[in-house]
Amino acid sequence: MQYRHLVFALLFILSVLNVNAAGYVKAKYAGEFMATGVDARALGMGGAFVAVAEDASAGYWNPAGLASLEYPQIIGMYAEQFDRIVNFNYGAVAGPSGERSSLGIGFIRLGVDDIPYTGLRNPDLELGAEYTEDGVLMRNLPYVVRTVNDAEWAFYFTYAKISTERLAWGVNIKTVAKTVGDNSAWGLGFDFGARYNLWPNTIVAANLQDITTTMLAWDTGRREAITPTVKVGAAHYFNIPLIAGKLIPALDLDFRFENRGFASKISFATISIDSHVGLEYSFKDRLALRAGIPDVGKFTAGAGIRLPQLNIDYAFLAHDELGDTHRISVRLAFEEGRFGRSRFKQKK
C-alpha cells in the first residue's frame, strides 16, 4: 500500500514539473470558471464547503462527500452575473451505488452569449468619415456583422467510497471544453478528495483539484495547462437544544501554484492562499440562515427551506466592482426505501 502511495506522489510531481517539456504552457486562470462555486447553500456560506458537502453538489466541492448520500438526488442552479452579462448553469445527479459507495455526474457552464462582431461599412475610410453611397450621404459607423458565444464547460464523473467508520474518499474524472468565437479547446483532468471524522461532529477534508494537471488542447495548436489546486477545510456540527437547531461553522483554505500575487489574500513565490469562512444555523432541520466571507468580493448571505424531499436555497453574493449576484438552487431527493442505500444491504 505504501509503495502505491509513493508511485502516485511521484507521478503527480513529474506531471507538474514536465508541463513545459510536453509543450504545454501553464495558463494562469485557465480553470477559473471551475472555481466560481455551485449550490446556493454553499455559496451562502462563503464557499466554505469542502468539509460540509455531503449531497449531490459534493461531486464539485469534494468528491469524498458523495459517499454520505443515502438516497439519490438531483440538484440544479442558474445565475446571471455581472449585470446579466455572464450566465452560469450547474446541474448534478448522484446516488448510492453500493453498500458503501456512490456515483454521480454533473456539469458546469459559464458563458457570455451573443457577443457582437462589428465591422465598418466602408473599411477603406476612417471611423466616422462621411461618404456618399447611391446618392445618399452616409457616415462610416460600425455595424454588427455577426454574433458569437464564449462558453466554458466542465463535466464531472464521480465515484466515492466509505473506507472506514471515519474515512471516505472520492475521485472525479472531468472533461473540460471551451469555445471562444471560432476556436475551441478540450481537456481531461482528475480530482481526488478525502473526508475524515476527526472527532465527534468535527470533520476535516481535502480536495486535490486537477491533481495530474489538466491539459487543454486548442484547435489553434496552443496547449495550456491548468495547474493543481489544493483545497482543505474543517467544519464542526453543534447541536444546541436551547435554540432548537444546529450550528455549523466552517473554514476552507485554497492553495494555488500559479503566481497570483496581489490577486490573492496571501502569496509568496508562486504559491497563493485564499480563505473562505462560513456559518450556517438550521432551525429544526427545516429553515436555515447562512453567512460567509469568500475569497473574493465582500460578503455572502443566504437562506434555505427544507420541504419533504425538496430543498430550496438562496444566496446573495456582494461585490464592490462587479455588482451583486443572486443565486437560487433546488435539490430534489428520492427518499424512498426502494431507492436508498438500504436496498444494497438487503441483498446480502
Side-chain angles (χ1 to χ4, degrees), residues 4-187:
R4 284 196 296 172
H5 291 166
L6 179 60
V7 171
F8 184 84
L10 289 174
L11 288 174
F12 168 67
I13 294 170
L14 289 172
S15 68
V16 175
L17 295 178
N18 287 308
V19 166
N20 290 330
Y24 284 85
V25 178
K26 292 181 181 179
K28 188 187 296 187
Y29 305 115
E32 191 65 15
F33 78 101
M34 292 183 286
T36 302
V38 303
D39 182 20
R41 181 192 175 197
L43 295 173
M45 295 179 65
F49 216 64
V50 172
V52 180
E54 54 185 5
D55 56 22
S57 71
Y60 170 86
W61 291 104
N62 183 358
L66 212 65
S68 299
L69 276 181
E70 291 295 325
Y71 299 94
Q73 292 184 358
I74 300 175
I75 188 171
M77 186 188 78
Y78 172 78
E80 294 179 338
Q81 300 175 269
F82 313 146
D83 199 21
R84 300 184 178 181
I85 295 175
V86 178
N87 296 318
F88 187 91
N89 303 292
Y90 165 72
V93 179
S97 61
E99 187 176 349
R100 302 171 68 89
S101 61
S102 298
L103 291 173
I105 58 174
F107 79 93
I108 290 173
R109 181 189 184 272
L110 186 146
V112 180
D113 301 318
D114 300 325
I115 303 171
Y117 270 24
T118 61
L120 288 175
R121 298 186 182 279
N122 191 331
D124 297 326
L125 299 177
E126 294 182 356
L127 175 66
E130 295 183 347
Y131 66 99
T132 301
E133 184 176 300
D134 297 330
V136 180
L137 183 63
M138 307 283 290
R139 292 192 66 187
N140 196 30
L141 299 176
Y143 73 101
V144 177
V145 178
R146 61 192 178 100
T147 60
V148 298
N149 297 329
D150 178 0
E152 298 175 283
W153 293 83
F155 297 91
Y156 295 80
F157 305 89
T158 307
Y159 174 79
K161 186 172 183 179
I162 298 173
S163 290
T164 68
E165 292 294 326
R166 291 188 170 188
L167 177 66
W169 60 269
V171 293
N172 280 334
I173 300 175
K174 62 186 181 187
T175 58
V176 179
K178 295 189 177 188
T179 59
V180 180
D182 298 325
N183 300 115
S184 61
W186 74 275

